[in-house]
Amino acid sequence: AQSVTQPDIHITVSEGASLELRCNYSYGATPYLFWYVQSPGQGLQLLLKYFSGDTLVQGIKGFEAEFKRSQSSFNLRKPSVHWSDAAEYFCAVGTTSGTYKYIFGTGTRLKVLA
Amino acid sequence: DVKVTQSSRYLVKRTGEKVFLECVQDMDHENMFWYRQDPGLGLRLIYFSYDVKMKEKGDIPEGYSVSREKKERFSLILESASTNQTSMYLCASTIPGQGTYNEQFFGPGTRLTVL
């Protein structure tokens, strides 16, 4: 079955520390991959996406993600976290065959310590 | 700037009531989606639409219906609200085409409480 797994429900980091949020997917073909961020009380905003080419993609707010086909992973990274990065992060897969739809992970809530 | 609006940010309804959640996008997008978001479950697709008067069931359509009479508006209907439909409801849209290459633009969400 198609699925997206974000194994970390909560992550706490200190401001200025590096960050890595994990995402693994299960899908028969190479999907389109997305990371979204949801600030409290708001909808989701796209951080970055991957569909082909260079496996390291850059996004907004200093985020990047690396697609690793062999590991079926698309982890999100940021070298230095800011307090304003505290939010919930969602990884999503866009299917590329059959019924086109997006499948979301369960989210990772990031807390940033001053 | 891209804009997806939802008619209410907070809504409180009683069990058995018919509930309408409205979503409007001003980007001339053809594809629109309704999700519900619950803690620990992420976003789950309820219904989506690729064109006016067209709809397809998502993963959890039971207890819901939708209406798309105009391109810019996609309504989610709870025919008879139940307490297990208490949730955050998110609307999204994407540019034309049935592929999922393009990112979704989300509204701010409607937090529905059914008493």
Side-chain angles (χ1 to χ4, degrees):
Chain A
Q2 303 162 355
S3 65
V4 177
T5 301
Q6 293 180 247
D8 303 305
I9 299 173
H10 297 278
I11 281 186
T12 300
V13 299
S14 298
E15 191 170 20
S18 63
L19 172 70
E20 183 169 30
L21 302 182
R22 296 183 288 165
C23 173
N24 291 94
Y25 66 89
S26 173
Y27 186 66
T30 300
Y32 301 132
L33 296 159
F34 305 83
W35 273 101
Y36 290 87
V37 61
Q38 185 181 33
S39 298
Q42 298 188 19
L44 278 67
Q45 179 187 19
L46 179 75
L47 284 175
L48 47 77
K49 68 178 182 182
Y50 171 82
F51 57 94
S52 68
D54 193 348
T55 56
L56 184 64
V57 292
Q58 302 297 321
I60 62 170
K61 305 186 182 189
F63 285 91
E64 66 178 26
E66 186 171 13
F67 169 56
K68 293 186 177 180
R69 185 190 307 273
S70 61
Q71 298 177 19
S72 297
S73 70
F74 189 55
N75 294 348
L76 182 71
R77 301 194 294 246
K78 186 169 185 178
S80 177
V81 170
H82 188 264
W83 63 267
S84 61
D85 293 325
E88 190 156 22
Y89 292 81
F90 291 92
C91 179
V93 155
T95 60
T96 54
S97 64
T99 301
Y100 295 110
K101 62 179 183 180
Y102 302 84
I103 304 165
F104 284 81
T106 52
T108 297
R109 187 169 295 279
L110 174 66
K111 182 177 179 180
V112 180
L113 301 177
Chain B
D1 202 12
V2 167
K3 193 87 172 173
V4 179
T5 56
Q6 295 183 229
S7 51
S8 304
R9 293 299 299 273
Y10 300 93
L11 209 52
V12 179
K13 296 292 181 181
R14 297 215 171 266
T15 301
E17 279 192 76
K18 190 169 186 176
V19 181
F20 293 86
L21 302 182
E22 305 285 339
C23 175
V24 177
Q25 49 91 7
D26 65 357
M27 299 163 285
D28 203 32
H29 287 177
E30 291 182 356
N31 308 326
M32 298 187 75
F33 306 78
W34 274 107
Y35 295 90
R36 65 176 283 175
Q37 180 182 8
D38 300 288
L41 297 178
L43 277 71
R44 293 180 292 166
L45 182 63
I46 306 172
Y47 267 96
F48 58 105
S49 169
Y50 287 135
D51 204 348
V52 175
K53 297 192 184 295
M54 195 235 134
K55 61 185 178 185
E56 286 202 37
K57 292 181 180 179
D59 300 316
I60 53 164
E62 295 78 21
Y64 303 94
S65 63
V66 290
S67 173
R68 184 113 182 253
E69 296 296 320
K70 293 185 178 182
K71 190 176 185 179
E72 67 271 18
R73 187 179 299 269
F74 192 34
S75 302
L76 180 68
I77 304 158
L78 287 67
E79 294 291 342
S80 178
S82 64
T83 55
N84 63 13
Q85 292 178 309
T86 292
S87 186
M88 171 71 88
Y89 290 87
L90 292 169
C91 175
S93 70
T94 67
I95 67 176
Q98 289 197 5
T100 56
Y101 166 85
N102 299 299
E103 70 267 28
Q104 296 181 295
F105 295 89
F106 284 86
T110 295
R111 186 166 293 281
L112 173 67
T113 302
V114 183
L115 303 175

